[in-house]
Amino acid sequence: MKRPKILIAGPASAQAFLEKLASAVISEEAQIDLLLGLAAPTGAPGWIDTEIFVSFGVPCSGADMDAALGLKTIITPSLGYEGIDVEAAHSRGIAFANGRVAENFESVAEAAMLFMLTSLYRLREAEERLRRDEVRVGPPRARMLKGKTVGIIGHGNIAKALIERLQGWETRILLCNRSQVPPSLAFEQCDLDRLVAQSDIVLPLLPLTPETDKLLSRAKLLAMKPGAILINLSRGAIVEENALADPEVIAHLGTIALDVFVTEPLPADSPLRGLPDQLLTNHEISHTQENLGALFAMAVANIEAAIANSPMPTAFRP
């Protein structure tokens, strides 16, 4: 019986994860190739014979799929799958699965709580004062989360996990979603204009699509409450990034807390680095040990199911 050919590809930064993933799959049942730094799968030797493509951040278009005559499955060991044309895959009868694990949603939700509290309590300021041996002068700038209005854009798994974690904090939650969701006592549904106008903290928690690109435009940023906190843990392009360095926007908003950017890693000369009240992390704040372990286990389960021609645990259609 012919062994299926598997290509595992991703950036050099993920080498340890991908090597471990390749070694975890039963090699006697498959021919496994691991390539690092691959720009497109068609550049891989033997792509034409690949049956299972495991992509960690490597794009795969319909044309790429057509060049692999026997391609049956595409798997990504992450939640996001930007660059992979999933609709093209399904139209060609190619199955797709991603890293849809609870630890992923929960880690991002916990990171959102961390950003909210760090911003409200001015944690960086307090730490820097201690390092400079300074004593705070004047009234405190720290604020409680209690009583604040938290605006959440989107109602996916991350948003649901965050709403669950906000229970007990005595906040008011505004929710904006492109489609109506079942009523809940936990939040009020509203349109985007009302959400940005009334929220003390605004969090977009939704995927990047043509509809969500620059959803939070310069005009929307200026429509937020004066001093409001903006937290972005989704995708950089959901916010009009250039507008964040606009002097008028800077003067209008409070803390700008970002874990994602249009260009990653964030360029050294990015004007975002010079914002007077910013909290920046390099798309890693939710990369917990628990999340990585769950993503790894799910990737192995999906690959082994694909080898056995069985349903993959996280197979789905967009």
Side-chain angles (χ1 to χ4, degrees):
M1 181 178 176
K2 180 184 175 183
R3 296 185 302 163
K5 178 177 172 57
I6 301 175
L7 171 62
I8 299 177
S13 59
Q15 180 173 354
F17 178 88
L18 296 176
E19 286 180 345
K20 183 180 177 183
L21 184 60
S23 65
V25 179
I26 303 173
S27 58
E28 290 80 6
E29 297 184 7
Q31 175 190 341
I32 302 173
D33 293 330
L34 172 61
L35 289 177
L36 301 175
L38 189 67
T42 49
W47 171 246
I48 190 172
D49 298 317
T50 299
E51 296 180 36
I52 301 171
F53 179 38
V54 182
S55 166
F56 197 176
V58 179
C60 189
S61 66
D64 294 325
M65 299 171 200
D66 291 338
L69 302 179
L71 187 63
K72 297 178 180 177
T73 306
I74 299 173
I75 298 167
T76 178
S78 63
L79 183 64
Y81 50 91
E82 289 84 359
I84 297 176
D85 193 336
V86 181
E87 291 187 357
H90 282 299
S91 70
R92 290 161 173 77
I94 299 170
F96 173 77
N98 71 341
R100 199 167 63 254
V101 295
E103 289 82 357
N104 193 299
F105 317 137
E106 293 163 351
S107 293
V108 179
E110 288 191 5
M113 294 294 302
L114 171 67
F115 269 17
M116 281 191 276
L117 292 169
T118 299
S119 300
L120 286 166
Y121 276 82
R122 317 294 301 181
L123 181 60
R124 289 187 61 190
E125 277 184 21
E127 184 187 31
E128 288 169 3
R129 278 196 299 272
L130 181 142
R131 294 182 185 280
R132 295 193 300 260
D133 287 327
E134 294 178 357
V135 177
R136 177 177 57 80
V137 177
R141 296 184 65 196
R143 295 179 290 163
M144 295 178 68
L145 180 55
K146 175 184 177 181
K148 300 298 181 292
T149 298
V150 179
I152 299 174
I153 307 171
H155 193 242
N157 288 312
I158 297 171
K160 292 173 185 175
L162 177 58
I163 291 169
E164 181 180 347
R165 280 155 180 76
L166 282 168
Q167 304 310 301
W169 285 87
E170 299 183 41
T171 60
R172 174 192 180 211
I173 300 175
L174 295 180
L175 178 73
C176 173
N177 194 55
R178 62 182 178 181
S179 59
Q180 195 76 3
V181 301
S184 171
L185 295 176
F187 54 79
E188 304 171 37
Q189 295 184 61
C190 65
D191 61 23
L192 185 59
D193 288 338
R194 180 181 163 206
L195 183 144
V196 298
Q198 297 185 10
S199 298
D200 299 293
I201 306 168
V202 174
L203 302 100
L205 293 173
L206 65 178
L208 178 62
T209 67
E211 293 72 31
T212 63
D213 186 33
K214 296 183 179 63
L215 180 70
L216 291 178
S217 62
R218 180 180 184 275
K220 286 288 190 291
L221 296 173
L222 290 173
M224 289 170 59
K225 292 176 65 173
I229 295 168
L230 172 67
I231 298 173
N232 190 7
L233 296 162
S234 296
R235 291 292 183 266
I238 289 174
V239 179
E240 187 177 346
E241 190 170 270
N242 291 338
L244 294 176
D246 183 298
E248 188 176 358
V249 174
I250 294 171
H252 181 72
L253 295 181
T255 303
I256 296 173
L258 309 171
D259 184 55
V260 290
F261 309 94
V262 172
T263 301
E264 296 179 352
L266 183 66
D269 60 352
S270 170
L272 297 180
R273 293 180 180 269
L275 297 180
D277 189 3
Q278 42 91 330
L279 180 60
L280 308 179
T281 55
N282 204 12
H283 204 158
E284 64 173 291
I285 195 64
S286 63
H287 293 181
T288 61
Q289 295 176 25
E290 294 82 0
N291 183 17
L292 187 64
L295 288 172
F296 179 83
M298 185 57 71
V300 172
N302 281 325
I303 295 170
E304 291 182 344
I307 293 172
N309 289 315
S310 300
M312 293 182 291
T314 61
F316 78 101
R317 291 177 178 269

